[in-house]
């Protein structure tokens, strides 16, 4: 059973513009460039031993995967910042005590962070999933890959400003 209620992704205007421009390039000029390379390599003859052809086809597959990824990211996007209500959600900079150590990170994706020098945790990562939806002051835990239960206390959650 698939979940049809996809969470909203918060993006700054700059991050939205950057991702939208990348998508437009890949769907336009980017596709044309790869198609030309495939055609040129195909004209060289034997496709079984044509490294240029296989490289261009691999690049095409990666590019199409990136197009699908960008479309998915931009499908349920909210431009701006999440409300500053102390609830942990995508687009929030979270300070938490994790296994006794204080750490600050962005809950979201690297695309949201852009060039900002901040650690990023996905909301689907074990840590991200365990704190998503909790409030400042809440204590929760998650299971680490080694099977240990890691305690987490949320100290603050503020919208990422970029």
């Amino acid at each position: 059973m698939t979940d049809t209620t996809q969470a909203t992704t918060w993006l700054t205007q700059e991050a939205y513009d950057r991702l939208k421009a990348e998508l437009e390039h890949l769907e336009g000029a980017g596709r044309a460039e790869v198609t030309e390379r495939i055609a040129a390599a195909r004209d060289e003859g034997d496709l079984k031993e044509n490294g240029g052809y296989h490289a261009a086809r691999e690049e095409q597959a990666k590019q199409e995967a990136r197009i699908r990824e960008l479309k998915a990211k931009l499908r349920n996007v909210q431009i701006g910042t999440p409300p500053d209500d102390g609830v942990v959600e995508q687009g929030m900079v979270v300070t938490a005590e994790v296994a006794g150590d204080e750490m600050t990170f962005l809950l979201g994706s690297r695309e949201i962070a852009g060039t900002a020098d901040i650690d990023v945790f996905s909301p689907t990562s074990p840590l991200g999933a365990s704190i998503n939806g909790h409030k400042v002051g809440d204590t929760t835990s998650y299971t680490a890959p080694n099977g240990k239960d890691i305690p987490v206390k949320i100290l603050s959650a503020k919208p990422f400003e970029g």
Side-chain angles (χ1 to χ4, degrees):
M1 184 171 184
T2 55
D3 184 11
T4 56
T5 58
Q6 184 177 7
T8 298
T9 300
W10 288 92
L11 293 177
T12 62
Q13 185 67 53
E14 182 270 331
Y16 176 82
D17 292 345
R18 185 171 22 86
L19 295 178
K20 190 78 171 151
E22 180 184 355
L23 178 61
E24 288 170 2
H25 170 76
L26 290 175
E27 288 184 317
R31 270 189 179 144
E33 290 168 12
V34 172
T35 302
E36 287 173 17
R37 278 198 291 265
I38 290 171
R42 188 180 296 126
D43 291 343
E44 292 175 10
D46 185 9
L47 296 182
K48 275 193 284 188
E49 296 183 23
N50 187 330
Y53 174 78
H54 294 290
R57 290 297 304 226
E58 187 174 317
E59 183 180 345
Q60 181 184 42
K62 287 179 184 176
Q63 184 172 303
E64 292 301 320
R66 180 64 176 160
I67 287 170
R68 287 190 302 276
E69 178 186 8
L70 288 170
K71 283 183 174 181
K73 282 185 190 314
L74 295 173
R75 191 169 297 126
N76 292 313
V77 74
Q78 182 80 24
I79 297 175
T81 57
D84 190 359
D85 56 5
V87 175
V88 176
E89 61 183 309
Q90 280 196 67
M92 299 293 274
V93 174
V94 178
T95 301
E97 187 178 293
V98 181
D101 294 326
E102 188 174 303
M103 54 191 294
T104 300
F105 55 90
L106 171 66
L107 185 65
S109 69
R110 178 60 27 213
E111 276 93 0
I112 296 170
T115 59
D117 186 25
I118 188 168
D119 289 331
V120 179
F121 283 88
S122 165
T124 58
S125 69
L127 174 59
S130 73
I131 63 172
N132 201 4
H134 283 276
K135 294 182 177 177
V136 172
D138 286 356
T139 301
T140 185
S141 66
Y142 71 95
T143 304
N146 65 6
K148 288 188 177 180
D149 201 40
I150 308 293
V152 180
K153 180 172 183 171
I154 300 162
L155 304 175
S156 76
K158 297 285 181 194
F160 177 69
E161 299 295 334

